[in-house]
Amino acid sequence: MNIIVTGIQPTGSGSPHMGNYLGAIKSIPKLIKSSEAYVMVADVHATTVDFEPSELKKSSLLTAASLIAAGVPDDIIFKQSCVPQHYELAIYLSHLASVGQMERMTQYKDKSEEKGVGFGLLSYPILMAADILSYNATTVPAGIDQHQHVQLAADLARKLNNKIGEDYLNIPKPKFTKNPKIMDILNPDKKMSKSSANQNGVLYLTDTIDIAVNKIKRATTDSKPYFTDGFDDQSDAIKNLIVIISELMEITTDDVCIQLQGKRYSDLKNMLISAYSEHIIPIKEQIDYMMNNNQSYINECIDAGSERAEKTSNSNVKIIRNKLGLGL
């Protein structure tokens, strides 16, 4: 059986951005067909950076609402902090990982010199591996930036199997969308990120059409007056906008380029605004409705999904615990 595990951190306000949506969330409803799936609001991972406890619950609720509004089945969504088996398995896995291995993780290397960086940032990939292996996952939908972490989960699965002397754990493999990395629309050299210093380059699922239009009109383009040539000949800034349009409209990048031949870059931006209005604004409206009128429904979904997740993870972790010679 194909077992899928994926998640999204409720950092910032909790709203996913376009990179989260196109890189993972949009594909989940299609990926989970004929599969057993678990979609996690990774609230514990969100505590590896500075956070406000009073805001974390709100942002987690908004992340769950965003997943539901984007078409993820409400019965497979759960909250990481509600499933303690993740933490137990993370301890066992930490004994199989080396310090050097953790220090080579890109995310840690990028942030290790920042003030106030905690041990959680170093150990974060181990907990992520536990998130995956708690369900004996076979497939992990993820952005390309998470490839290293999924590789670690696979490595730790092999080490645990070797320790217990049998191939109990599946070796998880990443599943990338064809365009897994969406860049900042102001600074196309950087990945779209909630932590970006200038949020005008980040498109969120909860942006109003006015806010989105303002951001898109500021997007970086080219100095040429007219759009010419095919996709491969465009600058990184233009390619990024074309990719967003093609993914939202579910047409090829070549189709976008054909429609824009001889037109101005303002037409490219208007095409993106139209795609955003058609495909993202309905999601935003559903998120707003749930957050303003039906938060109890979101909590009920999280509670039921977490109960389901805990049942599965408890069964797997109990087996692992016993095979490691622990427990009764």
Side-chain angles (χ1 to χ4, degrees), residues 82-100:
C82 294
V83 187
Q85 286 78 12
H86 291 217
Y87 323 137
E88 180 183 351
L89 184 55
I91 292 174
Y92 304 152
L93 296 177
S94 70
H95 300 161
L96 300 174
S98 70
V99 173

Side-chain angles (χ1 to χ4, degrees), residues 253-295:
T253 54
D254 288 339
D255 287 336
V256 177
C257 291
I258 289 169
Q259 293 184 44
L260 290 169
Q261 288 300 309
K263 296 184 179 180
R264 295 184 180 275
Y265 286 108
S266 59
D267 294 309
L268 169 64
K269 292 180 179 181
N270 286 335
M271 192 175 183
L272 177 52
I273 290 169
S274 177
Y276 184 95
S277 179
E278 181 180 354
H279 298 282
I280 301 301
I281 290 300
I283 295 174
K284 174 201 159 32
E285 290 173 347
Q286 190 172 351
I287 294 170
D288 289 345
Y289 176 79
M290 284 189 284
M291 292 299 293
N292 294 328
N293 304 290
N294 209 357
Q295 288 192 14

